[in-house]
Amino acid sequence: MKSNKIIKYLLITIGVIFGILFIDLARTVIFKTEPLIVISTKNDNNVKISNSILYKTYNCNGEIYIESLTSKFDCPLIEKTISITQNNKDVCVDGIDYFYEDEDYRYYFSCFKSNYITITINDKEYPLKSALNSKIITINDLEGKLQFYKESKKEDKINNTIKLVAQNNKCSTKTEKIYTYNRIEYYYDCSNDSYLLDINNETISISKALQSGAVTIDKLKELGLNITTKEIKNEITEVKKEENVKIEKDDESKIDAPADNNEIIINSPELVFIKNNNSSQIMVTIYQDNNYEYYYYTPNNGDYSIKYNNKYYTIKNALNKNIITLSSLQGLGLDYYKKKITKVNDKINDEKIDTGSKNIKLIDKSQGSMCASAIDYFYEDAQYKYYFTCMKSGSMYLLINGKEYPLKTALNNKITTIKELEENGIYFLKQSKNLVTK
C-alpha cells in the first residue's frame, strides 16, 4: 500500500511538472513571449536565445521564434526602410569625395556632397558618414538607392620608392600630428628624431604626402614609423539662433593653438550647426593663398561655426586664430574645397585664332616630378568629363601652330576642341555624364 502511494504521488508530481511545462509552452506560443522557465540564456549577435527544458526561443528584434533544442535557426533578415535626402542638389563641386572605406574598397562620389546627405531610418535622421561608421547601415544597404563609385585598395596606383629621412632633431611636443581622417587624428613619435619622406628622389613632409595620397598610414608603419591615434570626441551639434549665440567677428589676430597631446582634449574645437533663416546655400571663402581660394558651402537653413572654450567663431576666424587648421576641418566633419586663382597671364586676349588646320602637340611638364594619385577633371562637354588619374592638369600644355597654351586655358577659351585634339592623335580618359553605376 505504501509503495502504491509513492507511485501515485510520483505520477502526480510528474503530471504537475509536465502540466506547468505545457502551460508555459502554450503561453509562449499564444502570446509570443519568452518562456517563464529558463535554464540558460545567451546573446549571439544581439539575438537573445532562451533555453527551456523542452524547447528554446530566439528573440529577433522583439519577435519570438520557438525551436527545438537541437535545431539551428537564423533570425530572418529585416528589410530596412531607408530614405535618403540630399540638401545640396543645386550645388555639387566636381571632385573625388571619399565618404567611406572598408578592408577592400574606398567609396566615393564624383562631386563633393557627402556632408549634405542624410539617412532616415525609422523616423530617425543620421548624417551619411555617421550612419556608416556607426554600423547603423552598411554600404550594401545603399546599393540601388544612391549612386556612388568604389576603388580597390589592394593595388597601389603609383609604384613609388619611399624612404624615411631622419632630420637629426627632436620635436618639442614629442609627437607630431600628421593627418586627420574620419574623426581620427594620426600622430608619429618624434621624441628621438623628426622625419621627412623621400618619394622618387623628392623630399616632402609626411603630412603633405598623406594629404596628396602619395603614401598611406599602413605604408608609414611598414617603414617603421611609430604611429599613434586620437579620436576627436565631438559630433556636429545643432544650436538654435534663439539661444543668443554670439559669434566672434572675423579678424586677423592670432591666439595660441590648442595643445596637442596623446590624451582626449576636453576643450577641443567643436563644429556646430547654427540654424538661421537662409533658405539657399552660400559659398563662404575661408582662406586664400597665392594659388588657391579655399571655401565651403553652407547647408540650407543654417551655417557652421567653431565652438572653442565656450566661444563661437566663424570658420575663417577660427583659422586666423590658429584654433583649427585646414587639414583638421575634415576630421571635425566639414569638407572644404579649393579652386585655382586665375592669374592675369592665364587669360587669353581677344586675338584672332587661325580656324584652319592646326598642328597640335601635347607637352607634359610634370615629367620627373611626383604626381599625387587622384581623379583630376580638367574639362567637360555635353557628353563627357575628361580627366587624368593623378593631379597634373596644371602642368599640361598644348603647342598649337608653334604657340604654347595651358591645356585648360586652350579648351576653356575655345582655342581648340577635343575633336581637334583627337584629330591630332591626342586622346584623354573620359567619363560619361550618363554613366549608370551603383
Side-chain angles (χ1 to χ4, degrees):
M1 292 289 294
K2 190 174 182 179
S3 62
N4 290 336
K5 282 186 177 182
I6 293 174
I7 294 172
K8 181 180 178 181
Y9 289 138
L10 184 60
L11 291 173
I12 291 173
T13 301
I14 294 172
V16 170
I17 292 173
F18 274 96
I20 293 173
L21 292 175
F22 178 78
I23 292 171
D24 190 24
L25 175 60
R27 170 187 168 276
T28 302
V29 172
I30 295 171
F31 297 104
K32 297 291 183 181
T33 60
E34 295 174 358
L36 289 173
I37 302 174
V38 178
I39 297 175
S40 64
T41 62
K42 70 174 182 178
N43 282 295
D44 185 9
N45 293 327
N46 294 323
V47 176
K48 184 179 179 182
I49 304 173
S50 301
N51 293 297
S52 186
I53 296 174
L54 301 176
Y55 62 96
K56 58 184 174 182
T57 62
Y58 293 79
N59 189 331
C60 303
N61 296 313
E63 185 76 18
I64 302 298
Y65 295 86
I66 305 168
E67 299 293 328
S68 69
L69 293 173
T70 58
S71 66
K72 292 183 178 180
F73 178 78
D74 292 320
C75 287
L77 295 175
I78 298 176
E79 183 70 22
K80 295 178 183 176
T81 303
I82 300 175
S83 63
I84 300 172
T85 305
Q86 182 180 336
N87 296 319
N88 72 327
K89 292 182 179 180
D90 296 331
V91 180
C92 194
V93 180
D94 279 344
I96 300 302
D97 180 11
Y98 294 101
F99 64 92
Y100 184 67
E101 64 179 84
D102 53 29
E103 292 183 358
D104 299 317
Y105 296 99
R106 293 184 184 93
Y107 301 89
Y108 65 95
F109 301 116
S110 59
C111 67
F112 291 97
K113 63 182 180 181
S114 61
N115 278 350
Y116 303 99
I117 294 178
T118 301
I119 305 296
T120 303
I121 302 177
N122 297 331
D123 297 327
K124 290 185 178 180
E125 292 187 351
Y126 306 89
L128 172 64
K129 294 178 185 177
S130 297
L132 286 166
N133 293 324
S134 302
K135 310 301 181 184
I136 296 169
I137 60 171
T138 66
I139 199 72
N140 291 333
D141 292 329
L142 299 177
E143 292 186 4
K145 301 181 178 69
L146 186 65
Q147 184 186 58
F148 60 88
Y149 307 88
K150 65 181 181 181
E151 66 180 19
S152 175
K153 294 168 64 176
K154 293 182 179 179
E155 300 266 342
D156 287 334
K157 289 185 177 180
I158 304 177
N159 186 18
N160 288 324
T161 302
I162 305 175
K163 300 177 183 177
L164 280 175
V165 181
Q167 297 300 292
N168 297 320
N169 65 297
K170 303 176 184 180
C171 55
S172 59
T173 56
K174 295 185 179 180
T175 60
E176 181 179 337
K177 184 166 69 174
I178 52 176
Y179 195 49
T180 304
Y181 177 75
N182 201 20
R183 300 190 182 280
I184 300 293
E185 294 178 335
Y186 293 85
Y187 297 77
Y188 84 92
D189 182 359
C190 54
S191 57
N192 295 319
D193 255 324
S194 60
Y195 292 92
L196 295 174
L197 288 175
D198 184 315
I199 303 179
N200 294 338
N201 298 320
E202 181 176 345
T203 303
I204 186 173
S205 72
I206 296 174
S207 178
K208 287 184 178 179
L210 284 166
Q211 291 175 20
S212 67
V215 73
T216 64
I217 292 292
D218 288 340
K219 182 63 178 179
L220 292 176
K221 290 179 180 179
E222 288 178 15
L223 293 172
L225 209 60
N226 185 8
I227 304 290
T228 57
T229 61
K230 180 174 63 183
E231 183 179 1
I232 299 175
K233 292 290 185 179
N234 68 282
E235 298 287 339
I236 297 180
T237 305
E238 183 175 302
V239 180
K240 294 182 179 178
K241 193 69 174 177
E242 292 76 36
E243 293 180 5
N244 295 321
V245 174
K246 181 182 178 182
I247 302 175
E248 298 288 324
K249 293 182 179 179
D250 287 342
D251 60 49
E252 301 299 323
S253 62
K254 304 286 184 180
I255 64 172
D256 291 335
D260 283 337
N261 51 54
N262 283 326
E263 298 182 8
I264 296 171
I265 300 175
I266 297 175
N267 290 320
S268 60
E270 297 178 51
L271 183 69
V272 297
F273 172 70
I274 299 180
K275 281 190 172 182
N276 60 34
N277 296 323
N278 293 332
S279 58
S280 59
Q281 292 181 301
I282 301 171
M283 189 186 86
V284 180
T285 299
I286 54 176
Y287 185 71
Q288 185 171 314
D289 56 26
N290 292 331
N291 297 312
Y292 294 98
E293 178 183 356
Y294 300 82
Y295 60 97
Y296 73 96
Y297 286 99
T298 64
N300 292 327
N301 302 313
D303 194 3
Y304 293 113
S305 294
I306 297 296
K307 181 181 179 182
Y308 178 63
N309 282 342
N310 294 319
K311 290 185 178 181
Y312 293 84
Y313 303 85
T314 65
I315 306 292
K316 179 180 179 181
N317 208 15
L319 286 167
N320 287 334
K321 291 177 177 290
N322 293 326
I323 295 171
I324 58 171
T325 63
L326 280 170
S327 61
S328 70
L329 277 177
Q330 185 184 27
L332 291 173
L334 178 66
D335 285 334
Y336 67 89
Y337 319 116
K338 66 179 183 179
K339 62 181 179 180
K340 189 172 179 62
I341 298 172
T342 303
K343 299 178 181 178
V344 175
N345 57 6
D346 288 338
K347 295 179 180 179
I348 302 299
N349 295 326
D350 293 333
E351 54 182 324
K352 292 183 179 180
I353 304 297
D354 184 7
T355 57
S357 62
K358 297 175 183 175
N359 181 17
I360 306 175
K361 293 182 179 180
L362 180 66
I363 303 172
D364 184 355
K365 295 188 178 182
S366 68
Q367 292 178 356
S369 62
M370 186 183 66
C371 186
S373 177
I375 302 299
D376 182 9
Y377 294 103
F378 64 90
Y379 185 68
E380 65 177 270
D381 54 27
Q383 292 180 303
Y384 297 101
K385 291 181 179 179
Y386 300 87
Y387 66 94
F388 298 108
T389 56
C390 68
M391 304 300 291
K392 67 175 185 179
S393 63
S395 301
M396 304 301 287
Y397 290 78
L398 293 173
L399 187 65
I400 305 175
N401 292 344
K403 188 169 183 178
E404 188 175 291
Y405 302 89
L407 171 63
K408 291 189 284 189
T409 301
L411 288 168
N412 290 326
N413 287 273
K414 309 302 180 185
I415 296 171
T416 188
T417 64
I418 291 292
K419 182 180 178 181
E420 287 179 340
L421 294 179
E422 291 177 346
E423 288 173 352
N424 281 267
I426 301 171
Y427 297 90
F428 299 106
L429 294 171
K430 59 186 179 181
Q431 174 184 308
S432 173
K433 289 187 172 182
N434 299 318
L435 182 64
V436 176
T437 186
K438 290 182 180 178

